[in-house]
Amino acid sequence: GACYEKMGRGEARTTYERVLRDYADQPGAVRIARAKLQELTGPAPAGPTAVGPTYRMVLDQFGGVRDVAFFPHQFDFAPDGRRFVFRKRVPEKKTTLLFVADADGALVRPLLEETGTWSDFHYPRWAPQGNRVAYLVHKGPYETVEEWGIFVADVETGKAFQIGADFPDSYQPTDLAWTPDGREITYLIGGNEAQPKPVTTGVFSRAIATGETRMVQAMPVHWSLRLGGYSADGRWLAFHQMPGQASDQRDIDVWLLPSRGGAAQKLTHHPGIDAQPAWAPDGRALYFVSDQSGDLNVWKIEVDTASGARKGDPRQVTFFTDGRVMHPRLFAAGERMALSLSRSRTVIKVGNPAHPEKARELTRGRAPQVSPDGRTVYYLGEGPDQQGIFSMPAAGGAPKRLAATAPNCGFDLSPDGRTLVYFARNGAATHLYTLPIGGGVPRVLVERIATTELVPISPPRWSPDGSRIAYAQDQTLFTIPAAGGQPRKIAQLYAWQEWLWAPDGRSIGALAYAAPKDIAVFVVPAEGGEPHRLTDAAEHEYKEGLAWHPDSRRLAYMIYVGSGQRDSELREAYADGRPTSTLVRVPDEWEYVGRWTPDGRQFLYQILGARSGLHALDPATATSRPYVENVAIGVSGLAHGMLSWSADGNVVAWATPSMTSQLWVAENFR
């Protein structure tokens, strides 16, 4: 580690993190590694005389962090900052539990004396008085939700009691916040597609003493809405959410809601992520995470306590360039702040498909695509100053940046290997671009206005002959000549999620919504026409990861089945309209997205769980075998970008991810 420090901070940090992870039984080495990480992690001073905060890691490999900005924090600090509570997965018990630790991360102990029939604990929130923790928990086996309940536990004794009655699963309570006087717990009710009757959605509060429930504000509760807590005087409740119909997860804003009801007002207007608000202890400012500077960092905005209006422009207060800073929590008079820090490192591997175990590491990056001749790999950059699209010889060499702007959701390489196509944001607008691989200025093929239209979550796609490009805009699927020209309307549905040209170029397969909450597999003639639904209307569960078989007669897809979110299987839909059939279903595993090999003899799919990695299915024998371990799921969770082959099938590339998620405290923070 010390040697790497002389060469670069990144490798040194990785080495010291490995000491903490793999050699925890050596206290001396662990102490040195922790100290070194603290030195390496803090941001550089803003100027010659600037004095920044000092950083101290309190929890390594924190399992409660999700590397997406709209997920709620699964930890909380006591008001005095001396202790914190966090959620942790306990595999041997097949559930999650809550733990309490001192501010230095030591003396970790379970919060609860006993859990009874309740399991899978969520959203721990420390009471303003510092003696209790509220949390949300469900009854029944892990990930098989039967009923929800709000509980409060005494931190010293570990004894807990329920606040009010159970919630049916259909009511889906989410997130929690204490009122400043400690007398009520505020929460959200959203409802879901399985609800037996209409549910009034909005913000509610329950009294600790009586369990009596009151509505704070009736309002639509989008799945992205998350609470940020009350201001010190109790006047305002902060929250963040995406626009109700947006599909771009980078379009999130911070809002304030009057605590006694009334219209919410928008506090931030950046066309990107402004999320996870947290009040300063005096209630005069909000801290939140934003990607205004390119990386997710903490920003601060002053707030007028009487009107709730912003005072001035937001100011950046952390300056990390090698990780995602999320979930700020302020305490101790605002001079200390806790935050979660996630660092991802994804390595592209290239090899012979027949011997994936011998694949070599090529470079750091994501979503690789191999050129038709197998000589070049195109990929999305990852790391500081590595945004955009790059190319690198498959045999190794120097990377070449082709596009400095990071695509919204990946890119697609033309069949002749000469041109890239992708969506990218320019200010508030998202455009469709093409770019020659030899370099040059990206060409705008289609203009879009992201603030008024559904933003695409699947990359545009080249036709197999390279003459056209398919893309979705609002509720319409279009094709446009690759050379430019007038877009042609192919089909219209409520919303388009994924689309792929059939290998023979005669049709386009799609995952799309026929109506809200009604997602299905469709096939559309390439020249346009009525979409033909391939999955039954009764098969309404969420689906993703569409993949054509090389014969152009069938499409594989992943579907959530059963009552648990990790209960899934891979199915096939048939272009001739036959009933769908199960392709892969393994008990006690989560089968995820996959792709057919170019010869159509094997289906390579992901398993997430005890046998996590890519597995190869041989349909002829109905048997699976491990293929490679630990493979990135691609772009936006889609199969496209997970694996890529050369035209002759002799070269394959994929991405192998790793992530560290840690909990840190910044001292002397202002």
Side-chain angles (χ1 to χ4, degrees):
C3 292
Y4 275 128
E5 282 189 60
K6 299 177 181 179
M7 301 169 62
R9 290 162 62 100
E11 291 294 334
R13 183 182 295 110
T14 300
T15 304
Y16 291 130
E17 288 173 346
R18 184 185 171 197
V19 172
L20 298 182
R21 183 178 66 248
D22 298 341
Y23 302 95
D25 59 337
Q26 300 184 34
V30 167
R31 279 196 302 271
I32 294 172
R34 283 186 183 276
K36 289 291 188 180
L37 280 170
Q38 291 166 20
E39 295 173 10
L40 293 170
T41 302
T49 61
V51 178
T54 58
Y55 288 81
R56 176 168 51 86
M57 186 172 65
V58 298
L59 200 60
D60 188 27
Q61 291 297 331
F62 175 40
V65 172
R66 295 292 297 272
D67 192 33
V68 183
F70 50 74
F71 276 97
H73 60 289
Q74 295 288 1
F75 70 92
D76 203 14
F77 271 74
D80 61 8
R82 294 181 179 179
R83 290 181 293 182
F84 63 95
V85 60
F86 62 97
R87 176 180 185 253
K88 182 181 179 182
R89 179 86 166 95
V90 183
E92 61 270 21
K93 293 189 177 182
K94 295 184 178 180
T95 188
T96 59
L97 296 175
L98 301 178
F99 294 84
V100 175
D102 292 342
D104 61 359
L107 299 176
V108 178
R109 63 175 175 83
L111 168 67
L112 301 173
E113 184 180 63
E114 58 182 30
T115 61
T117 59
W118 297 85
S119 65
D120 200 12
F121 298 77
H122 297 264
Y123 319 131
R125 301 291 182 261
W126 212 290
Q129 292 71 29
N131 59 341
R132 297 186 290 185
V133 169
Y135 55 90
L136 189 65
V137 64
H138 75 64
K139 186 182 294 182
Y142 180 67
E143 293 186 353
T144 304
V145 181
E146 296 174 0
E147 295 175 320
W148 292 89
I150 297 175
F151 280 72
V152 171
D154 186 288
V155 178
E156 303 303 331
T157 66
K159 295 186 181 298
F161 60 94
Q162 187 170 358
I163 307 301
D166 295 349
F167 297 89
D169 176 37
S170 60
Y171 277 62
Q172 282 191 321
T174 56
D175 220 347
L176 299 177
W178 288 83
T179 54
D181 59 12
R183 295 180 179 179
E184 295 182 1
I185 302 292
T186 299
Y187 58 93
L188 303 170
I189 287 293
N192 66 22
E193 61 190 26
Q195 61 193 32
K197 59 181 180 180
V199 173
T200 300
T201 64
V203 184
F204 295 80
S205 268
R206 277 190 179 181
I208 301 292
T210 64
E212 182 180 352
T213 300
R214 68 179 178 89
M215 176 180 286
V216 178
Q217 180 66 35
M219 58 189 292
V221 176
H222 188 260
W223 59 266
S224 66
L225 196 155
R226 292 293 181 264
L227 300 177
Y230 286 92
S231 57
D233 60 10
R235 288 187 177 187
W236 305 99
L237 179 62
F239 66 92
H240 77 243
Q241 69 173 354
M242 292 163 45
Q245 294 298 322
S247 60
D248 186 354
Q249 296 174 357
R250 298 183 304 174
D251 186 10
I252 311 175
D253 288 298
V254 175
W255 295 69
L256 292 184
L257 178 71
S259 61
R260 289 298 169 183
Q265 56 191 61
K266 193 186 239 185
L267 200 64
T268 64
H269 301 273
H270 160 61
I273 294 175
D274 290 326
Q276 299 168 356
W279 288 97
D282 62 8
R284 296 179 181 178
L286 268 174
Y287 292 78
F288 60 98
V289 298
S290 178
D291 62 356
Q292 294 183 50
S293 62
D295 299 283
L296 270 184
N297 272 289
V298 179
W299 291 62
K300 177 182 179 181
I301 188 169
E302 304 288 339
V303 178
D304 184 287
T305 57
S307 66
R310 57 186 283 177
K311 296 168 63 176
D313 294 326
R315 174 174 63 87
Q316 187 173 354
V317 293
T318 68
F319 298 87
F320 291 89
T321 59
D322 61 343
R324 296 165 64 92
V325 182
M326 295 183 289
H327 311 298
R329 313 302 298 166
L330 279 294
F331 50 87
E335 296 181 357
R336 301 171 69 193
M337 178 176 69
L339 53 87
S340 64
L341 178 62
S342 294
R343 291 190 178 97
S344 61
R345 182 177 178 83
T346 308
V347 176
I348 294 172
K349 292 189 175 183
V350 179
N352 184 324
H355 300 284
E357 72 284 354
K358 297 181 181 179
R360 63 188 183 280
E361 291 189 2
L362 182 66
T363 186
R364 182 178 178 183
R366 300 177 293 114
Q369 289 194 39
V370 180
S371 62
D373 61 12
R375 296 179 180 179
T376 307
V377 176
Y378 301 88
Y379 62 95
L380 299 179
E382 180 184 84
D385 302 320
Q386 294 296 305
Q387 293 80 18
I389 305 175
F390 292 77
S391 67
M392 179 177 283
K400 179 181 178 182
R401 191 196 297 264
L402 302 177
T405 303
N408 280 17
C409 49
F411 63 93
D412 200 22
L413 178 66
S414 61
D416 62 8
R418 295 179 179 179
T419 312
L420 301 172
V421 63
Y422 55 93
F423 293 114
R425 187 192 292 268
N426 185 354
T430 294
H431 304 305
L432 176 64
Y433 293 92
T434 57
L435 178 67
I437 63 168
V441 178
R443 176 190 179 192
V444 177
L445 201 62
V446 179
E447 293 186 349
R448 299 176 47 88
I449 305 299
T451 55
T452 60
E453 302 170 2
L454 289 174
V455 179
I457 61 172
S458 183
R461 307 295 191 189
W462 290 93
S463 62
D465 63 5
S467 65
R468 290 177 289 175
I469 296 166
Y471 69 96
Q473 182 173 347
D474 286 339
Q475 298 176 318
T476 305
L477 185 67
F478 291 91
T479 62
I480 187 171
Q486 188 67 27
R488 178 178 182 179
K489 178 180 175 180
I490 299 300
Q492 189 164 4
L493 285 168
Y494 178 77
W496 300 84
Q497 177 168 292
E498 302 176 39
W499 51 92
L500 291 171
W501 290 83
D504 62 11
R506 297 179 179 178
S507 60
I508 297 173
L511 275 172
Y513 287 87
K517 301 177 183 178
D518 181 18
I519 186 171
V521 180
F522 292 88
V523 66
V524 181
E527 300 305 319
E530 191 69 22
H532 178 47
R533 184 170 184 150
L534 304 184
T535 54
D536 191 88
E539 190 185 288
H540 57 78
E541 296 89 349
Y542 181 75
K543 307 170 183 69
E544 60 183 305
L546 202 63
W548 277 102
H549 189 278
D551 65 10
S552 298
R553 299 176 181 175
R554 45 191 165 138
L555 299 107
Y557 60 98
M558 188 277 291
I559 179 171
Y560 289 77
V561 295
S563 57
Q565 287 188 339
R566 286 189 178 272
D567 192 1
S568 65
E569 68 177 43
L570 292 157
R571 290 184 183 170
E572 283 191 299
Y574 299 92
D576 62 8
R578 283 179 288 159
T580 61
S581 62
T582 297
L583 182 63
V584 182
R585 186 166 191 184
V586 181
D588 303 321
E589 297 284 5
W590 193 28
E591 297 81 44
Y592 199 49
V593 298
R595 293 191 74 188
W596 287 98
T597 54
D599 60 12
R601 295 180 179 179
Q602 295 183 92
F603 185 71
L604 303 182
Y605 66 96
Q606 279 198 305
I607 281 184
L608 302 180
R611 300 187 299 139
S612 195
L614 270 184
H615 289 245
L617 170 71
D618 181 353
T621 61
T623 57
S624 293
R625 61 178 176 83
Y627 188 71
V628 292
E629 296 180 351
N630 194 24
V631 172
I633 61 175
V635 180
S636 301
L638 310 180
H640 190 84
M642 183 178 72
L643 288 163
S644 178
W645 288 268
S646 58
D648 59 11
N650 291 329
V651 178
V652 66
W654 65 85
T656 298
S658 63
M659 178 179 289
T660 59
S661 298
Q662 301 162 334
L663 189 60
W664 289 76
V665 170
E667 307 281 355
N668 302 315
F669 202 94
R670 295 182 184 275

